[in-house]
Amino acid sequence: MTPQPQVKPSNPDDDVVSRQLAIISNPIPDSILAGIKGNAPSDVKEIAVKWLNFFNAPAEKCFYGLSSGKKVVTEVSLDVDPLREGQVLTLVCELDIEEESLLYRHGKLANAFVFSVLDETVSSAVTALGYATGGSGICGVSQSLNTVFYNTVDLGAKLRFINTTLTATPETTACRCEVWDLTQRRLVATGVFIGMPWSSPRRAARL
């Protein structure tokens, strides 16, 4: 009998990385970018959309992935920072709450879901600002995200995430976000994000 070559089982993590790399490298159709309001250039809008898509690549592994992936970017704007030399980027996203699996037992939206989406939107906002001001467009890592919740959210609500950057330098990034329930016309949560760029691993010290 001729021995059959052994097939190495596919690594699910490799599939996720492949999907993520494809998201970052493939262009966003002009028709989608044209539908996004705001004065930011198309390439800056594209960076923001790509990173939001990137975070949703492993959707089947995330309890909220399919719902989070339905976010719609409605605006990306750049304005002069009134407090310092530089620019402020505003990223606005909207999301319909349609999945019962996202609710607590008492029928209200899980705060963990709001927190997770907030983390994605602020990270995309500071990455887009960094790109707009000459950076690489590579997303960094979260250091802290201080979040305060004010009101609960019902199934069927439409949420709006309004992200306003505070800074995006090679050393640190910061952004604030307001989450509004457009259905009930009330504030759901606010968050203040601080992040940092990826750090290269240091060489192991030689004895």
Side-chain angles (χ1 to χ4, degrees):
M1 178 182 292
T2 305
Q4 297 296 318
Q6 292 186 346
V7 179
K8 184 180 179 180
S10 62
N11 185 342
D13 290 336
D14 291 340
D15 295 337
V16 170
V17 171
S18 297
R19 290 200 301 274
Q20 290 173 329
L21 291 176
I23 288 170
I24 297 302
S25 59
N26 293 335
I28 301 295
D30 292 337
S31 58
I32 293 178
L33 298 176
I36 300 175
K37 299 178 181 178
N39 63 353
S42 293
D43 58 338
V44 176
K45 293 179 179 180
E46 183 176 41
I47 286 292
V49 173
K50 280 185 173 182
W51 280 105
L52 287 172
N53 290 341
F54 175 92
F55 293 130
N56 294 304
E60 67 274 9
K61 288 189 174 183
C62 301
F63 82 97
Y64 71 96
L66 294 177
S67 294
S68 177
K70 297 176 182 177
K71 289 188 298 294
V72 176
V73 177
T74 60
E75 179 184 347
V76 182
S77 296
L78 284 169
D79 298 290
V80 176
D81 191 327
L83 300 178
R84 63 177 180 84
E85 183 178 353
Q87 292 181 298
V88 174
L89 184 139
T90 301
L91 169 64
V92 182
C93 305
E94 295 182 357
L95 176 62
D96 293 322
I97 305 304
E98 301 173 334
E99 306 293 334
E100 291 188 7
S101 61
L102 301 176
L103 305 181
Y104 285 134
R105 289 184 178 179
H106 52 67
K108 302 297 182 179
L109 180 67
N111 288 345
F113 176 79
V114 176
F115 180 88
S116 298
V117 176
L118 201 157
D119 189 23
E120 295 174 355
T121 59
V122 292
S123 298
S124 298
V126 294
T127 304
L129 176 62
Y131 176 80
T133 53
S136 64
I138 301 299
C139 188
V141 295
S142 302
Q143 290 182 295
S144 68
L145 181 52
N146 295 319
T147 307
V148 179
F149 292 91
Y150 305 95
N151 287 292
T152 58
V153 178
D154 296 320
L155 186 67
K158 178 184 286 290
L159 298 184
R160 176 177 291 167
F161 294 77
I162 305 174
N163 306 272
T164 307
T165 59
L166 301 173
T167 187
T169 69
E171 294 78 28
T172 189
T173 57
C175 186
R176 66 176 180 268
C177 180
E178 297 178 0
V179 184
W180 286 87
D181 183 338
L182 299 183
T183 305
Q184 297 293 334
R185 300 181 64 83
R186 62 189 184 187
L187 184 64
V188 174
T190 56
V192 177
F193 163 88
I194 297 175
M196 62 177 288
W198 288 100
S199 58
S200 300
R202 295 183 178 181
R203 277 188 182 177
R206 289 181 130 187
L207 299 178

